[in-house]
Structure formats: structure tokens, C-alpha cells
Amino acid sequence: LHAIARERWASVDPLQLAARLELPERYAALSKDVARDAVTFAEIAAQVDEVARFPGRVVAGADAVLAELETCIVRHGLDTGEAASAVVGDVRAWAKANGVSVRDALQPMRQVLTGQDHGPGLDLVLRAIGTDAALSRIHVARGAASLPTGDGGR
């Protein structure tokens, strides 16, 4: 069944998929990535919505990587896919330069941003949720007061 779903969604244009799901354009790449394992539009929409509405959570021992993530988001912003990829790339470089395994840097990021241990690429998640929601989730995780996200990242 999943093989059929992958073939079915492989040819769908990400912008058309986001429009069909009535999602902003910034969700296009995330929608396409989530669609790999989905069978219906409802499943895609539910998975994207789960990431979009996640409020953040405290992740112990992740303060240094989250501080770096926050710095990178402020530096690059998350207005484009390229900026979101640069944020992830910079965190990877920071991890290597500081003797932290990339997995040990990216795993807490994923948990803070999505509440999950596995999922779509972090660059796709960051682009979809946007700067305000990402920073708010980081502040929640670091135990700081949450910043308002306006439209919940959508």
C-alpha cells in the first residue's frame, strides 16, 4: 500500500498539493515530504497540521544546541527554503566544530520543533512553521516565556 502511495504522490507538484490542502505556499515542500507515506489528502493534512500546531516542549540538556539554533534562525530567517537549509547547515557545522555528534544536535531540534523523534527534514519543518513559531518553540524548550506566534505558524 505504501509503495502505491509513494508512486501516486511522486508526480504531484508541491504547490498544487499545498493549494489542494488549502495550506500556505510555505507548507508546499513539507506537504510533499509528508505525502511519501500517506494515502489520502486527509492523512497529509493531519500530519502537516500536527507539525504546524505543535506548541513546543522542554527538552533537557539541549540548551547549547537550541541557543545555536536560535542564533542561526535570527541570522538567516526562515522566509525561504534556502534560508531554512542554511540554518540546519549552520547547526550541523556548529555541532562538528564543538565535538557534538550531528545526531545529538539534530534530535533535540526535531523534538522541540515537532514533538517527534522522526519525520520530515528539519529544513522543511523550519520553512513551514516560520520564524515566530520556531523561536516560540525554542523559548518553550529553554524554559523561557513563549513568544506569541500570531496565526499558530499557519
Side-chain angles (χ1 to χ4, degrees):
L1 187 59
H2 286 291
I4 294 169
R6 285 187 187 115
E7 289 175 19
R8 177 179 177 197
W9 299 117
S11 63
V12 175
D13 176 67
L15 291 174
Q16 290 177 341
L17 180 59
R20 171 71 168 88
L21 296 169
E22 298 179 0
L23 296 169
E25 277 187 26
R26 69 176 190 252
Y27 283 87
L30 177 63
S31 300
K32 179 78 176 207
D33 193 69
V34 167
R36 290 179 298 126
D37 296 320
V39 177
T40 67
F41 283 117
E43 288 177 1
I44 298 168
Q47 289 179 35
V48 170
D49 194 55
E50 184 177 332
V51 170
R53 296 192 185 282
F54 181 72
R57 74 174 191 206
V58 175
V59 175
D63 197 56
V65 71
L66 295 178
E68 182 63 20
L69 175 60
E70 182 174 8
T71 298
C72 293
I73 290 171
V74 170
R75 180 183 318 125
H76 294 288
L78 297 172
D79 295 334
T80 65
E82 292 80 16
S85 293
V87 167
V88 175
D90 283 1
V91 172
R92 285 175 176 270
W94 171 88
K96 290 177 183 176
N98 287 282
V100 177
S101 78
V102 172
R103 183 186 186 286
D104 287 345
L106 298 184
Q107 190 68 20
M109 285 174 48
R110 177 175 304 287
Q111 292 169 342
V112 164
L113 296 170
T114 69
Q116 303 168 357
D117 291 330
H118 307 284
L122 287 170
D123 57 330
L124 303 177
V125 170
L126 286 166
R127 172 67 179 119
I129 66 174
T131 301
D132 289 347
L135 292 176
S136 177
R137 293 173 194 193
I138 292 166
H139 285 225
V140 167
R142 295 180 74 195
S146 180
L147 300 174
T149 60
D151 63 355
R154 286 187 82 161

